[in-house]
Amino acid sequence: MRPHLLRRALLAIAAAGAVSMPAVLSAQTPAALVERVDAQVDKVMPQVIAWRRDIHEHPELSNREVRTAKLVADHLKALGMEVRTGVAHTGVIGVLRGGKPGPVVALRADMDALPVTEEVDLPFRSTVRSTYNGQEVGVMHACGHDTHVAMLMGAAQVLAGMKADLPGTVVFIFQPAEEGAPAGETGGASMMVAEGALTDPKVDAIFGIHVFSTLHTGVIGYRPQGLMAASDGLRIVVHGRQTHGAMPWAGVDPIVVGSQIVGALQTITSRQTDVTLAPAVVTIGVMRGGTRFNIVPDSIVMEGTIRTFDPDMQKDIHARVKRIAEKVAESAGATAEVTIAAVGNPVTYNDPALTERMLPTLRRVAGADKVVLAQQTTTAEDFAHYQKQVPGVFYFLGVVPEGTDPKTAAPNHSPRFQVDEAALPVGVRTLIGLAMDYLGGEPKTGA
């Protein structure tokens, strides 16, 4: 929705009394509050776009977000916030204490980019190269985290300008390593939680946003309960017996055995699991081994992911993966070592009561016709670690321009992923609206 249309709609709703505006500015009329927020968002949007493009052009991998963290910290300090840096390596936390007592709400953005070489022809495209797990890679914000950082920086600026009238505290969490820490390292949301992101001050509720390629620009996708899947890392080492490639019978070929394991693992979700109860995925994304074309290697390594929504199904699939890999290897005279990550991402679970409470806010800000029930997705988010501690709502923001079919748009994590920047004002407004309405009291339904 265009800013002037959004403003007109908000004023009409407020005048009709359909929505109770938060008690943030009790001395002002609802119309004045709407005008004030809109004016400040309009004012900050050019800077939000500039931040987004700068961060996109200078992406940083997980646990390496040094430049981005400095940009964020400098901004929050300039706004007069209490700022902590170096949380979970490069994380930044800003605390905005309002002028009136009240609850504590947190807003979160992730900062890291992906080991992807950008193929989008933009004036601010990334040409950054780096090293990831020992390999030279391109680096790109192929999942839109650059927009998350920029939108939250903009929301922080607007909310800081209303500090004296805020009835409570807003905690701004800028998190590294959402995509997962590099091999041998720790990081991400679980580490942010362990280092006090939700306890100093104690957070009562948390909200997070993610741009998504399955929705048109400005459309908000929400879902109570399970929105995104639990994700578990999978590693299988197949041990055979090395031999000359011209005499495979003199050894045990782990490449062939590994291929048989991959095929057998696919029967877990296609033949052994009732996926009508809940979605599930088992994927092998890496098979690595061998040094020369005419040598059967001694061992290979396979890596993959398991995605589930149901805890019992998750446990059952773990057991099946282990049994299949070990027994297939044994049948060929090889052995298989199966390791499933002890700490993956839980289900991204939106608290039903909090979702229902804040739904009028999303409808008021984005427009009722622009707020839709999202489908479950087997992608995962470490925002789920915050939701294990406090009630939280995670929602999607569409970035596919009208006239383009989302089914044909490049998905998140693609080297051709693009963001329609016209969606960013909606994201900034929803973050502000959720924080203000949560602090100001439960909005009435009917928007």
Side-chain angles (χ1 to χ4, degrees), residues 236-240 252-268 272 287 300 302 319-338:
I236 302 172
V237 181
V238 180
H239 296 281
V252 176
D253 192 337
I255 294 177
V256 173
V257 175
S259 300
Q260 293 170 339
I261 290 174
V262 171
L265 291 179
Q266 300 315 301
T267 67
I268 293 176
Q272 303 178 44
M287 182 180 285
I300 65 165
M302 301 190 299
R320 292 179 186 276
V321 167
K322 188 173 188 298
R323 182 170 63 249
I324 286 174
E326 291 176 347
K327 295 302 182 183
V328 169
E330 182 182 352
S331 71
T335 61
E337 298 176 11
V338 179

Side-chain angles (χ1 to χ4, degrees), residues 330-411:
E330 182 182 352
S331 71
T335 61
E337 298 176 11
V338 179
T339 304
I340 298 174
V343 181
N345 290 327
V347 173
T348 305
Y349 184 87
N350 288 330
D351 181 88
L354 184 61
T355 304
E356 182 67 22
R357 172 181 168 179
M358 305 314 299
L359 190 53
T361 298
L362 296 175
R363 289 173 174 158
R364 189 188 73 235
V365 175
D369 62 330
K370 296 289 188 179
V371 179
V372 301
L373 184 66
Q375 292 184 330
Q376 284 186 320
T377 169
T378 47
T379 56
E381 242 289 344
D382 76 354
F383 186 84
H385 289 284
Y386 302 114
Q387 294 173 309
K388 295 285 283 186
Q389 306 299 318
V390 298
V393 174
F394 194 73
Y395 60 103
F396 297 143
L397 171 64
V399 291
V400 178
E402 292 291 340
T404 299
D405 186 350
K407 293 180 181 178
T408 65

Side-chain angles (χ1 to χ4, degrees), residues 64-101:
R64 308 291 186 270
E65 308 90 342
V66 176
R67 182 184 185 275
T68 308
K70 184 179 187 305
L71 178 71
V72 168
D74 288 348
H75 178 60
L76 299 184
K77 290 175 183 176
L79 295 176
M81 293 190 196
E82 303 168 23
V83 178
R84 288 164 31 218
T85 60
V87 185
H89 303 302
T90 57
V92 180
I93 295 176
V95 179
L96 178 64
R97 300 186 189 274
K100 302 175 183 179

Side-chain angles (χ1 to χ4, degrees), residues 48 52 55 141 143-152 211 419 424:
V48 170
R52 183 261 162 161
I55 296 167
H141 272 292
C143 204
H145 296 183
D146 52 335
T147 68
H148 305 165
V149 174
M151 288 188 291
L152 190 53
V211 296
V419 168
L424 302 192

Side-chain angles (χ1 to χ4, degrees), residues 75-146:
H75 178 60
L76 299 184
K77 290 175 183 176
L79 295 176
M81 293 190 196
E82 303 168 23
V83 178
R84 288 164 31 218
T85 60
V87 185
H89 303 302
T90 57
V92 180
I93 295 176
V95 179
L96 178 64
R97 300 186 189 274
K100 302 175 183 179
V104 179
V105 64
L107 303 174
R108 175 270 207 168
D110 37 10
M111 302 189 294
D112 54 329
L114 285 160
V116 173
T117 301
E118 183 160 12
E119 297 179 9
V120 183
D121 187 15
L122 295 171
F124 50 92
R125 67 178 293 180
S126 168
T127 58
V128 173
R129 305 288 297 177
S130 188
T131 301
Y132 180 76
N133 289 344
Q135 300 182 59
E136 184 184 348
V137 295
V139 184
M140 175 191 175
H141 272 292
C143 204
H145 296 183
D146 52 335

